[in-house]
């Protein structure tokens, strides 16, 4: 599995923990930036990661900003993307199992590094349950064409 990572200056504090989780799982990652603490605009990094997934350059993604809110809202503007803002491990699990999210978003100002590591591992190792959840996810995606 290849995982795309993107963050702004508010989320960069969690990047090493996310990378550690990905590497320990034996997965590859692509880091779309940002790479330092200079102030940047989170929609730019949301777009890079979301488009990488739509293009097939990555299978899943992790986005990080100060809260995880702005970068998740931005990613969900890209057609075909389901990005879940997660702040607990159960939500990280459900985002994959029920919502078939390709991306999770977390906040460097609200989530601890060790929790970001755990949530990333949970998200990346949880499979979509399908069944009734597939029908609901199909309904979500159909909203793009209404
Ligand atoms: C940047 O200051 C901050 O607004 C951003 O990281 C994020 O929290 C937005 O949702």
């Amino acid at each position: 599995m290849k995982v795309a990572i993107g963050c702004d200056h508010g989320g960069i504090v969690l990047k090493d923990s996310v990378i550690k989780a990905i590497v320990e799982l034996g997965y590859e990652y692509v880091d779309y930036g940002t790479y330092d603490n200079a102030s940047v605009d989170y929609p730019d990094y949301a777009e890079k990661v979301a488009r990488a997934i739509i293009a097939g350059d990555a299978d899943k993604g992790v986005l990080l900003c100060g809260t995880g809110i702005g970068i998740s809202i931005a990613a969900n503007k890209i057609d075909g993307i389901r990005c879940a803002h997660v702040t607990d491990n159960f939500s990280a699990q459900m985002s994959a199992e029920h919502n078939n999210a390709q991306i999770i978003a977390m906040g460097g100002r609200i989530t601890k590094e060790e929790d970001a590591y755990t949530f990333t591992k949970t998200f990346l190792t949880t499979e979509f349950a399908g069944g009734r959840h597939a029908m609901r996810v199909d309904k979500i995606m159909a909203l793009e064409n209404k």
Side-chain angles (χ1 to χ4, degrees):
M1 182 187 299
K2 190 180 280 188
V3 185
I5 304 170
C7 70
D8 75 355
H9 53 288
I12 197 166
V13 66
L14 298 180
K15 193 196 284 191
D16 286 348
S17 302
V18 169
I19 290 174
K20 183 169 181 256
I22 295 167
V23 170
E24 280 184 9
L25 288 168
Y27 299 155
E28 292 177 64
Y29 70 90
V30 189
D31 183 354
Y32 286 90
T34 191
Y35 306 108
D36 59 38
N37 292 317
S39 182
V40 293
D41 300 329
Y42 56 81
D44 298 334
Y45 299 91
E47 182 177 10
K48 286 175 198 284
V49 167
R51 293 209 188 281
I53 288 168
I54 295 301
D57 295 333
D59 304 296
K60 284 192 166 185
V62 178
L63 288 170
L64 310 164
C65 69
T67 59
I69 297 171
I71 209 159
S72 61
I73 291 172
N76 280 313
K77 293 293 182 186
I78 303 297
D79 278 2
I81 288 297
R82 294 175 300 282
C83 175
H85 176 220
V86 303
T87 56
D88 62 89
N89 199 49
F90 181 68
S91 297
Q93 179 189 336
M94 288 298 109
S95 71
E97 193 172 316
H98 284 191
N99 311 119
N100 201 15
Q102 307 105 320
I103 305 174
I104 55 167
M106 298 179 284
R109 295 171 186 156
I110 58 171
T111 293
K112 295 177 187 163
E113 291 175 50
E114 59 267 33
D115 290 338
Y117 164 86
T118 302
F119 302 167
T120 299
K121 275 204 165 174
T122 297
F123 170 62
L124 295 178
T125 56
T126 301
E127 296 200 356
F128 180 46
R132 67 185 186 280
H133 302 293
M135 178 268 292
R136 292 165 184 161
V137 170
D138 287 347
K139 283 194 172 186
I140 294 174
M141 303 322 289
L143 293 173
E144 289 178 355
N145 301 313
K146 276 192 175 179

